[in-house]
Amino acid sequence: METLCAPIAKGGKNVLHLKSHNEAIKLKWLKCLLAPIETRPQWAFFANAILAKAALNSPIVKHSAKINPFLQTWSPSQKRLPSHLRRIIQTAKKYGTRWEAITINPSIARELPVWFHIGASADLNKLNNHLYAACLRDNHLATSVGHIEAIANRNSPLHRQNKNCTCNHCAQDRTESRCEKPYKCTKLAQSILRCILPKWHPLTSSPSYSLNIAPEQITDETDENDQNTMVFDPTYPSPDSLSSGFRVFVSSNTPCNTPASQAPKPPGEQPQLSIITIADTHKVDKDGFHISGGGAWFGTNDPRNKSIKVPEHLAAPGAGEIVAILSVISTLPINVSLQLMIKLSVLRKSLTTNLANLEDIDWLDHPNKTLMKSLVAKLRKRCALTTLTDVGKSTDKASYKHAIDLAKNGMIKDKHDDIMIKVDAPDELFGVKLCIGTQRLFFKNIRNIQSKSKQRRETNMNMARTLHAVGEVNDTTPISDQVWLSIRNKDIPKNIRGFLWKSLHGAYKIGQFWDKIPQFEHIGQCGLCRIPESMEHILLDCGKSLASRVIWKAAKDLWLKRETSWPEISFGTILGCNLMTLRNSDSKTKVGATRLFKILILESAHLIY
Ligand SMILES: [Zn+2]
Ligand SMILES: [Zn+2]
Ligand SMILES: [Zn+2]
């Protein structure tokens, strides 16, 4: 069932998973509930009122202090909620919904509700229900940090610490707000402001940068075509409104109360710019292991040149480049400006024009999510400029060749390199931005969380062999998504498409399938040679099967009428032949031969079966 519900590019059939579908709808309701007032649907106002009414008995929260349980430390009692609303709140909890930011613009920090503030010290608990807190709320109408800050910061030379003070602020409070003891309220406001932790305090929430980028330096999407060099923007993102601060699928349990910050500039003169060419290589070996290598080229005989082997669990197409950059920035001083020469435009765009979008969806479906999150955090930390240049448009082709050679050397190393990918807690951004979420996006995330542990072992093995076989022929290794999509190609007859899908999943009732069924174990053996059966055995290995010998011989004879050599056919070749392109000696694609090859392989295999 889990397999059928997976997306097509992950080997599934995209069958609707009802429970996840319903949960995704609940998250869409949640998005409406937490939408800004201007766009909030009418029901959400009632729902918020119901939430306020259903507040738990502890802590005691006065009615005028309740604004939003997701922005304050009080919560509603689930028992007291109507069932529909209860399910929304339960789903919100289950998938880690939180107001979450790594830095907060002062203007947004001022908008946050001050009572039961989500980022305050424990001392605030005593002040929330203080005698004069009621006056601040009901007479001064103070709800946000900004209000309290304005009251706390009033300063008049005439002000006296007594109730008869005649300064104009106190006089105004007495007449307009009907406040009896303005000096007490002012004092309380100051105490409250002291409880707000640095990350959330308007004066300290925004980090100071040692590196400032002028806005015109930052590449935007419109002029990307004529730009070879893009600038990495080191500014830490902050929500631009209260409602855009809500994030869902937040994977850390406790919010971090320290703001993200750039490293301070070390004393002394700024070192020279470093120009580094980055390259990567990737393949799947015959045992199904992914191997990625990364190379960083500084110059001839430069001791800083790097050949890197990516750890197996992080290896993926593109991983080598990211790891090479990570390794470079871990060894260079933090104030060296970098000019990175990179071939892949995906990586250049992920770090510049697409960065904000990718962070909003928490790098969903990105093959190198962990590495990219680490790279972005580490680049932001540096106090020197990072630029990314398209190596394809540069005149220096030799450097790229050197970098590729370094990457290839990395791949053949015995041991992988250790790479620091851990991100400091304040710098890591978690979760998906709730306000940009669609039902589809929520659904995909829910499915990803649920299917992580449920991958079929046999599918993974067959996939690895397929990737290897295609890699051998094409010289570049595809990703598994491409294989799944390739076997749905409309050029293939429908029954063969089904045959390939089932074979990739090992879903036919042959071989090991019967080992688990008492008294039927013998069916799991090849009827001709009495060894454990598998699809591979039926199609290729069975020496006693007449069908396989005759059919493969016929296929070979037919092939040799046009071509000179018949390649060795493995199980992976059969599963992956749709992605293979045959080339002649001067590396031109042989269209006709490729097509014939596919037809021969697929029809033969299916016929034998
Ligand atoms: Zn006064
Ligand atoms: Zn007052
Ligand atoms: Zn056999």
Side-chain angles (χ1 to χ4, degrees), residues 389-410:
T389 304
D390 182 358
V391 84
K393 289 184 189 161
S394 114
T395 46
D396 188 10
K397 298 272 185 273
S399 299
Y400 187 68
K401 252 201 103 260
H402 288 303
I404 284 276
D405 289 341
L406 287 170
K408 283 186 180 154
N409 289 340

Side-chain angles (χ1 to χ4, degrees), residues 139-304:
N139 298 330
H140 304 254
L141 303 178
T143 55
S144 68
V145 174
H147 289 149
I148 290 294
E149 189 191 26
I151 295 172
N153 288 350
R154 298 191 301 200
N155 217 335
S156 159
L158 297 172
H159 182 65
R160 299 285 171 270
Q161 293 288 353
N162 66 54
K163 70 173 180 185
N164 299 321
C165 169
T166 53
C167 82
N168 32 8
H169 297 302
C170 290
Q172 199 179 4
D173 278 355
R174 266 192 294 270
T175 52
E176 281 176 23
S177 310
R178 283 176 295 138
C179 171
E180 284 170 13
K181 293 184 178 162
Y183 80 101
K184 290 269 191 193
C185 286
T186 309
K187 246 186 129 170
L188 179 62
Q190 286 160 352
S191 314
I192 290 173
L193 208 55
R194 277 195 293 273
C195 296
I196 310 290
L197 298 173
K199 176 171 172 181
W200 308 81
H201 195 291
L203 294 183
T204 47
S205 66
S206 187
S208 57
Y209 290 98
S210 9
L211 168 73
N212 284 304
I213 306 265
E216 60 269 18
Q217 280 184 282
I218 292 163
T219 326
D220 60 25
E221 275 145 83
T222 49
D223 55 21
E224 62 188 323
N225 289 330
D226 47 78
Q227 203 116 16
N228 300 344
T229 298
M230 293 165 149
V231 177
F232 173 78
D233 180 4
T235 317
Y236 288 102
S238 154
D240 50 11
S241 68
L242 272 195
S243 51
S244 67
F246 293 110
R247 295 183 90 91
V248 60
F249 308 109
V250 175
S251 54
S252 80
N253 291 325
T254 38
C256 177
N257 282 317
T258 321
S261 64
Q262 206 170 60
K265 225 172 211 163
E269 235 169 75
Q270 174 150 3
Q272 233 188 343
L273 167 82
S274 280
I275 301 175
I276 307 146
T277 309
I278 304 286
D280 91 323
T281 47
H282 175 78
K283 69 166 189 181
V284 180
D285 73 1
K286 63 182 191 312
D287 301 318
F289 289 108
H290 286 255
I291 303 174
S292 298
W297 170 260
F298 286 76
T300 314
N301 293 331
D302 194 312
R304 296 169 301 176

Side-chain angles (χ1 to χ4, degrees), residues 60 70 113 158 288 397 490 496 539:
I60 298 166
F70 288 92
L158 297 172
K397 298 272 185 273
K490 291 285 185 298
I496 295 185
L539 296 180

Side-chain angles (χ1 to χ4, degrees), residues 526 528-529 533 537-552 608-609:
C526 172
L528 297 166
C529 43
E533 191 158 57
H537 180 81
I538 296 175
L539 296 180
L540 297 163
D541 297 349
C542 185
K544 292 192 179 157
S545 156
L546 195 60
S548 104
R549 255 182 302 157
V550 170
I551 292 170
W552 284 124
I608 295 169
Y609 176 68

